[in-house]
Every structure is written in C-alpha cells, then in structure tokens.
Amino acid sequence: MKKTLLTCFLASLCLYGSTLTAQVADSPGADFLHRSSPSVPFGLRDTHRGGETRSDTLPEQNGLVDHSVATGQEGESSSASVGPDPGLGNNAVIWGRVSEYSERSQIQLIVYPDYFFTGAKAPRSNHLFLQLQPGNLMEGGYPKDKSFQYNLAAHGTQWFSLSLNDGNPFMELYRIDPNDSIQLFLDLESSYLVFGGKSREQFKLQQGLFELQREQIANTVPTLWTPNPRKVLENPDFAKQRESALSSAGPVLEIRSRDLELLQELEKLDLYSPSGSLKAYWEYIDSYTGKVSESYLDFFRKEVELREWKNYLNQLSGHLRFARRSGEQGDFLDGLLALSREKLDQAEGSLELDLDKRSAAAMDYFAAKMKLWSAVNDEEPLEGISSINLAYWREKFLVRYFYESFGNIPLAEGRLKDFIADMKYSHFAQELRTLESLKGKGVVIEGFEFLDESGNTLQWDEVAKGEVILIEFWISGCKACVAFNEQTLSVLEEKYEGDPRVQVITVSADFDTELWQRSLQSGRYTQSGFTNLYTGKENRNHPFLIRYGISSFPNRILINREGRFIQTSQVPFLAPDLIALIEHELNQNPPKP
C-alpha cells in the first residue's frame, strides 16, 4: 500500500511539476522583464576547488557546514529550513538555484565586507567555492537543479559577486545589507536570471542598472584610435573586413585619430544633459519609487553618478597618456590638459560632497581621479594624494593603491611607514600595517604563539623545522576543512613522509580545548604526523589570525623556516597545485651543503 501511494505521489509530481516550478520562478518579484543572459562564457570547463567555504555560512540541510559561528556552538547537527535561519539574527542570506544538465559541482562567491577593489588582493575579501547540492523536491527543484546558500554575518553593508568559475561573474558587485534575504534563479539553458525572496526588489534594481550598463556598452560605436587612419585601410585584409562590416546590419568600427575634433566632443560631453548617460539610469531608478526606500534610491543615484564620472575621467586619462607617449604637442595636448584640470576641479567641487561611506563606486571614482591627476601632472598618484580632501576617502584610497601597486611604488616600504604614521583612521592604518608585515623586505611573521596538545605555549622558533612550511587553519564542524584534510593533507603526508624539508603545521581556532582534542582524535581534520596546535581561549580573535586576516576556514599560508612568507593568499586548495608550488620553492632554494 505504501509503495502504491509513493508511486502515485511521484506520478502526480511528474504531471504537475512544470506548474510547481513556474510558481517558484514567477513568485512576486521574479519579474521576467529582467531576464537576461548572464555575462559568463557558457560551456567552459567546470571548476573543482574542493568546496572551500567559511564554516559559518552554509545550511546544514545540504550537509556542508554547521551554524557554529551564528549560534555560538560548534557541531554538525542538521536542520531543514529554506531562507533565513531564525537563529541567525540580522544575518543576510543568499540562496540560489542553478539549472542545467551538467557535472558542475561548485559556484564561486566573493564577499567584500568593505570594498576597496575587486580581486584576490583586496583587503579582507573572502573568496569562496560553494558546493552545489542536488535540487530539493520540497523547494520545487527538478533533477537538473542544484542549489546553494550562504549566510553573511551582520557586519553592515557588504558587496558580493557570483560566478560559475574563475571567469566573468554573472552578478558583479551587488550590495547586500543586514536582514536581506534573496533568492536567485539562474537557468543556464534558457539563459535567464531572476530574483525572488523578500529583498527581490533591491536586487532587481541592481540587476536592471547592470543591464543598462551593458546596453550602453553595446551601443557605443567601436573605435580604433590611430595616428593615421588612412594607412590602416590601405591594408587589404582590413579593407576587406570593413567592406563586409558595411554590408552587414552590425556595428561598423570607426577609425579615428586624436585631434581637435575629438577634443571638441570631449568638451561638449555633459553627463547631466537630456541626452547624457545619467538620464536613463536615473529614470530607471525612479521607476522603483515605492518599491524600495527613498534612501536606497538616493544611494544608487549617487553610485551611477560616480560610475559615469569614473568612466569619463578614465576616457580623458587614456587620451592624455597616449598623447604624452606619442610625443604630441600643440593645441590638442594643451586643450586636453586644460579640460582635464577643469573636470577635476568640477568633480571635487560638487561630486565629492556628502559621499556615503558604504559606496563602492566612490572608491573606483577616486582611483580614476588619481589616475587622471597623474596623467595631467606627469607624476605618480601618491604625489597628488592631498587632492582627495576628505580624510576617510584619502586614507582608503591609500590602502587600495598600496595593495594594488606595492611592487611598482618607488621606496614603497619607507613611504608606507610615513603614511601609516599620519593616518587618522586606525582601521585603515591597520590594513597597511598588515600589508607591511606581508610585503616588507626581510620582515618575518610575528605573534606566532599557539598551544600544543599538552597545553604548552610554542613559538615559531620552537616548531619550525622544514624548509617549506604549510600552516593550515581550521575549525571543527567545517565540512570544507574535512575535505581539505581528505583530499590534500593526506596526500601531502604520504608524499613527504620522511622528508624533513616539508612540514605541515595545523592551527585550530575552536571555541574550547575539549572540542579541539576530540576533533584531533577523530582524524577528520588533520593528520597525526603533523604539528597540530591550538589558538587557546582567544580562538578566532587570536592576534595572529587578526593580524594576518585569517577570518575564513580552511585557510592556509606558506612560509619558509626563517618565517618569511612564500605565499599568503590563494594558496592552492587541491593537492596537485599545492605540491607543484612546494616543489617550485624547494627547487628555488636547494639545501645548503
């Protein structure tokens, strides 16, 4: 009888499954006017990075991690909930479904708790590979559907990007606030992205602005800048391609030189005119009046204004740098210099007033401003840092610039110290101190003091034995930490057993000693032959973890015996990649006779 009932139930799902899924996709706010092709190259190979995640962020019903950080307890108990966990307080929640027939097993999430710039080098950015779980029947999922969830701790406004692999994100730099709960539905076969959940309107607004930006780029006439346009078309291949373009319905490349005509166009360009680029963005934002708060709309009005100014300033600096490199003189260069100075003054006098500290676009705008200042004055950007009048943004830009360009800054270490000494905002000063510790020539790690299994405090000199040393940070209840041990640490132990040149040190940031010792005995998180240490009662607030930005687990750094860093970010998760890095270091520094 039970078997018959089950068969009937499954049959009814097959008959009405399409209706069920449509109801999920067409839930209030899942506006199909905003369907679009994600900006990701379809058909690329899947990525398999071992599921590296923060242990406090994924739903236990998917068998990934526990809610230990959110609840204050560590363990691996299971729960079954969709959307925010009642115990997560003001945390924001991202739930997603990816629909496609493939072997894809992960999705990449990058979180910026405080936005400086995009990329792996950005301070405190968190790069995660989330496991995609089979579609849940009770969520209306089909067999081809896979889902994920991430709970962001309530640290104020944050920014995030999502991508299917290491390529372009299909959601790039979206704002998310405490208490936000968003559902996203990405169908890779039908090529659409729609939103649901209580915060859907905020995300539809951001997605719409992104689509307008892509539309603006698509409708911009492609241009080739060259000193001699006629010479380009003398090339038979180029001439033939141009004839083909002219006979098609597609865009036709313009071939132009930088001249007074271009200068006049740049002078006439008015972002605020009825035909200016801002009009379409602001009209779109106005269409959300009544759907989201007015303060939210004001925030994004300013964001798009800053972004369009950034684009304009980058346009000016690009033409100016080329003109200088090519040795151009005369009216064009003089006019371009005068226009650039005028626009810098105009932006400083109006655009930079009352900037919201949560802004991401402001940081990119200031980077464009300093780039243009550098081109105008033919000096490096640091020489003009005083042109950023507001101390908050001046110091934040310094963090960005040093993190992005440390290796290209003359006398970087000394100048870094000077700027740190004069900083008003302690958290920006700390970001630069961290960089100083990581990049400074001859600087070794500091604050390495952890407990062994007997409760003894050990320092670096007491434990460092190998030529190349991997330090791995983990916590109990973290499924990705278990995966790293099974897939990578076990392979390292087998390969380098008996080789004194390679050493693995693991450090647990568990909440109490008993939990750490139970996890050690389980053999799930580390290998018995490694040097296994513990942060003690300071757990995740241990000064070493704070100093070096260890805020997600598993995490790892590579160091030599003297305590000098070999690699501090993006240390490979998978065994083959990590072994290749270790072997490279061993070959670079052969043992002394």
Side-chain angles (χ1 to χ4, degrees), residues 103 118 127 133 164 260 269 271 298 303 331 340 350 373 421 509 512 588 590 593:
E103 297 300 317
T118 57
H127 296 240
Q133 298 301 306
L164 299 176
L260 292 178
L269 196 153
L271 300 177
D298 284 341
E303 288 293 281
D331 293 342
S340 298
S350 58
W373 184 97
D512 61 71
Q588 290 284 101

Side-chain angles (χ1 to χ4, degrees), residues 385-396:
I385 192 66
S386 60
S387 67
I388 303 178
N389 293 319
L390 300 172
Y392 177 88
W393 293 104
R394 181 170 62 249
E395 294 183 8
K396 191 170 186 180

Side-chain angles (χ1 to χ4, degrees), residues 117-415:
F117 57 90
T118 57
K121 295 192 294 184
R124 295 192 291 119
S125 61
N126 204 354
H127 296 240
L128 311 165
F129 287 87
L130 309 181
Q131 293 285 354
L132 290 171
Q133 298 301 306
N136 188 333
L137 182 66
M138 295 297 106
E139 294 174 350
Y142 278 126
K144 69 175 182 177
D145 296 334
K146 298 170 186 176
S147 63
F148 66 92
Q149 181 171 317
Y150 190 88
N151 303 326
L152 289 88
H155 294 313
T157 294
Q158 301 182 69
W159 299 84
F160 74 91
S161 298
L162 280 168
S163 62
L164 299 176
N165 46 42
D166 289 330
N168 295 327
F170 62 87
M171 292 179 66
E172 184 170 21
L173 216 57
Y174 277 58
R175 169 181 160 174
I176 188 166
D177 298 313
N179 291 313
D180 274 354
S181 179
I182 184 62
Q183 301 167 359
L184 64 97
F185 301 86
L186 176 64
D187 191 316
L188 294 174
E189 295 182 350
S190 300
S191 299
Y192 68 75
L193 171 65
V194 294
F195 297 102
K198 72 172 187 177
S199 303
R200 58 187 176 273
E201 296 296 341
Q202 290 93 315
F203 284 82
K204 284 167 58 180
L205 169 61
Q206 295 184 67
Q207 177 69 4
L209 292 173
F210 176 65
E211 290 301 320
L212 282 174
Q213 184 181 11
R214 292 175 62 191
E215 181 180 329
Q216 182 186 55
I217 294 171
N219 288 310
T220 299
V221 177
T223 305
L224 173 66
W225 297 99
T226 175
N228 193 338
R230 182 177 297 178
K231 188 173 182 180
V232 173
L233 293 177
E234 290 175 355
N235 183 302
D237 293 334
F238 291 156
K240 185 177 180 180
Q241 290 180 42
R242 184 171 179 80
E243 286 180 13
S244 175
L246 288 169
S247 64
S248 76
V252 178
L253 178 75
E254 285 192 359
I255 305 173
R256 299 183 57 183
S257 61
R258 291 177 170 87
D259 51 23
L260 292 178
E261 182 182 352
L262 167 63
L263 180 60
Q264 290 174 357
E265 291 174 7
L266 293 171
E267 289 173 340
K268 292 178 180 178
L269 196 153
D270 182 0
L271 300 177
Y272 302 94
S273 71
S275 59
S277 59
L278 282 173
K279 183 175 184 292
Y281 290 112
W282 283 351
E283 286 181 347
Y284 179 77
I285 292 172
D286 289 343
S287 72
Y288 275 79
T289 300
K291 298 178 182 179
V292 299
S293 69
E294 190 61 32
S295 62
Y296 197 86
L297 298 179
D298 284 341
F299 179 88
F300 279 99
R301 289 187 186 102
K302 192 68 173 184
E303 288 293 281
V304 297
E305 185 181 16
L306 288 162
R307 188 185 66 206
E308 291 306 294
W309 267 95
K310 174 205 72 173
N311 293 338
Y312 182 46
L313 297 185
N314 279 336
Q315 202 178 151
L316 292 175
S317 63
H319 290 307
L320 189 53
R321 288 181 181 278
F322 182 87
R324 285 192 181 280
R325 283 199 305 268
S326 60
E328 289 189 26
Q329 300 294 329
D331 293 342
F332 175 73
L333 180 59
D334 293 341
L336 192 55
L337 285 168
L339 177 62
S340 298
R341 293 189 182 100
E342 175 190 333
K343 294 303 179 182
L344 287 172
D345 290 341
Q346 180 183 345
E348 184 178 318
S350 58
L351 186 67
E352 297 177 16
L353 300 177
D354 301 322
L355 291 178
D356 192 316
K357 291 182 179 180
R358 298 171 296 177
S359 174
M363 197 73 267
D364 293 334
Y365 157 76
F366 280 115
K369 174 184 176 176
M370 297 314 300
K371 184 178 178 181
L372 180 57
W373 184 97
S374 175
V376 168
N377 295 281
D378 202 19
E379 296 186 60
E380 64 161 334
L382 284 182
E383 297 299 327
I385 192 66
S386 60
S387 67
I388 303 178
N389 293 319
L390 300 172
Y392 177 88
W393 293 104
R394 181 170 62 249
E395 294 183 8
K396 191 170 186 180
F397 172 77
L398 281 172
V399 174
R400 171 176 176 146
Y401 189 71
F402 272 101
Y403 269 82
E404 282 189 311
S405 309
F406 187 90
N408 299 319
I409 299 173
L411 305 174
E413 293 174 53
R415 300 176 78 179

